[in-house]
Amino acid sequence: MSAEPAPAGPAGGGEHVLILGGTTEARRLAEALARESSCRVTTSLAGRVAAPVLPPGGTRIGGFGGPAGLAAWIGAHGVTRVVDATHPFAERMSFNAAEASRLSGVPLLALRRPGWEPGPGDAWTFADSLAGAAGLLPGLGGRVFLTTGRMGLHTFADLDGPWFLVRSVDPPTGPVPARLEVLLDRGPFTLDGERELLSRHRIDVLVTKDSGGSATAPKLTAAREAGIPVLVVRRPPVPQGVAEADSVAAVLDRLRQQA
């Protein structure tokens, strides 16, 4: 399914920024660009969430068919800039974007929010993958707040000892742990809310990806305050040679400089 943007002015006229989205930063960037009358903006969403919060401007929902398909779409729609503002763990899309930029000759800028760093009082253990986290988990706790997203739940499905609380926007599908409670919710989350959740469910270990950003960071503070260990899945590698910015403001500055 896709929602194609309406043409804005003559075909190929003016700036057309394609945002590869799905994050809070992508939506904020679309909002900022939409306020600039000279700039047309389209946000592409993967379609993994049933009812996404749509940003202003044009939207496109669904895959492109790999790097060649993305490059073809860029050319057909007169895209002049591409911003990869996907989730830090959307590894395949970031590599597809880099290859599509090479094929199309259209510049690519990656918006990569800084990762989280442990502070005083944190008890963090790191894993290089979800599978690695599943292997480490039994030694860390028995009542697990699992916040790695519904798409990877099958990785933990064989763990029949721990009890899991899983929070996601949509209900999980496919194999899941036997002892599971699902909480359907959408961030951002408050510190008071995270404190109450950890206490009410008697959580003794938190599992998270190193997503970075502020929308879901309060759970880390709540875990620190409660003395709860955190199992952090490190970010996957990113394509080399892609220009990067660490905030919406930095992306806007780069786009204006290159206009």
Side-chain angles (χ1 to χ4, degrees), residues 83-177:
V83 179
D84 175 11
T86 56
H87 191 276
F89 283 80
E91 179 180 6
R92 180 180 300 176
M93 192 64 229
S94 290
F95 278 90
N96 285 354
E99 178 63 10
S101 174
R102 186 189 69 80
L103 292 171
S104 66
V106 172
L108 171 66
L109 177 61
L111 171 49
R112 306 201 193 283
R113 65 174 80 144
W116 291 319
E117 296 289 342
D122 284 323
W124 289 13
T125 299
F126 289 91
D128 290 328
S129 64
L130 286 176
L136 293 170
L137 185 55
L140 295 174
R143 294 187 64 83
V144 185
F145 185 22
L146 184 61
T147 65
T148 55
R150 65 189 178 91
M151 303 301 291
L153 277 182
H154 64 278
T155 310
F156 300 86
D158 292 336
L159 299 180
D160 53 11
W163 175 90
F164 290 89
L165 174 67
V166 169
R167 181 167 63 194
S168 64
V169 176
D170 295 320
T173 57
V176 298

Side-chain angles (χ1 to χ4, degrees), residues 1-7 16 18 40-45 47 52 54-64 73 77:
M1 176 178 70
S2 66
E4 300 291 352
H16 182 188
L18 173 62
R40 176 184 171 197
V41 58
T42 301
T43 299
S44 172
L45 302 172
L54 296 180
T59 56
R60 185 191 185 282
I61 300 177
F64 290 93
W73 197 96
H77 292 80

